[in-house]
Amino acid sequence: MNEHIELPCHRHQFYARSRRSVPAARQLTDRSLKDWGLEPWDRSHDLSLCVSELATNALLHGVPRGRGFLLRLRYDGELVRAEVHDSGPGTPRVPNEPGGPESEGGRGLLLVAALSDKWGVGERTPGKIVWCEFAVP
């Protein structure tokens, strides 16, 4: 008997170096979750927030002038993974302690670390891939 095999769901989109790219990336994430039947999932807003943070970090720290970033989303029935690919140097890190009360930055990866099940940084030439994963019950 033939076994039905479900292939993972994929989405990807390239975004220009523009502030408008962050809400556009979040909209793609929300639309993908809806298409994959995960809209009522209680962690869908957490994933969208993490995508916003990763996209913002890419724009602020990882996308040189004239370049952009790539958002990849993948759902395999058990796990949703979001990746942001950029072409800039450096390695993202979670600060040991957030900045003082007057500091406006440095909290994005703290949010990603707190909300996602797993996150990390991968190599790419040029640049890097910053990713996060969420288990789906």
Side-chain angles (χ1 to χ4, degrees):
M1 192 181 255
N2 290 337
E3 184 178 329
H4 179 70
I5 298 173
E6 277 294 319
L7 296 176
C9 302
H10 293 273
R11 295 278 165 88
H12 64 276
Q13 179 69 46
F14 183 81
Y15 295 96
R17 188 176 187 250
S18 165
R19 290 270 185 198
R20 287 178 276 183
S21 295
V22 174
R26 188 172 182 145
Q27 288 171 357
L28 176 67
T29 302
D30 292 341
R31 199 168 45 249
S32 298
L33 291 174
K34 181 179 180 181
D35 291 348
W36 298 337
L38 296 175
E39 187 179 34
W41 180 40
D42 61 342
R43 298 183 74 195
S44 62
H45 295 295
D46 293 344
L47 175 64
S48 292
L49 178 59
C50 287
V51 166
S52 292
E53 293 298 334
L54 296 180
T56 299
N57 283 351
L59 288 176
L60 294 176
H61 308 292
V63 178
R65 290 193 188 281
R67 303 248 177 134
F69 69 91
L70 175 70
L71 170 63
R72 281 194 177 155
L73 301 168
R74 182 174 190 259
Y75 172 54
D76 65 6
E78 297 176 9
L79 186 78
V80 178
R81 180 179 173 108
E83 300 177 353
V84 173
H85 298 233
D86 70 49
S87 56
T91 302
R93 62 178 177 79
V94 175
N96 290 336
E97 292 186 27
E102 66 280 351
S103 174
E104 293 181 22
R107 293 183 181 87
L109 287 179
L110 285 172
L111 279 171
V112 173
L115 295 175
S116 66
D117 294 321
K118 240 171 125 175
W119 78 278
V121 181
E123 292 182 20
R124 148 179 213 275
T125 303
K128 61 197 155 300
I129 302 165
V130 185
W131 55 269
C132 61
E133 294 179 341
F134 290 76
V136 179

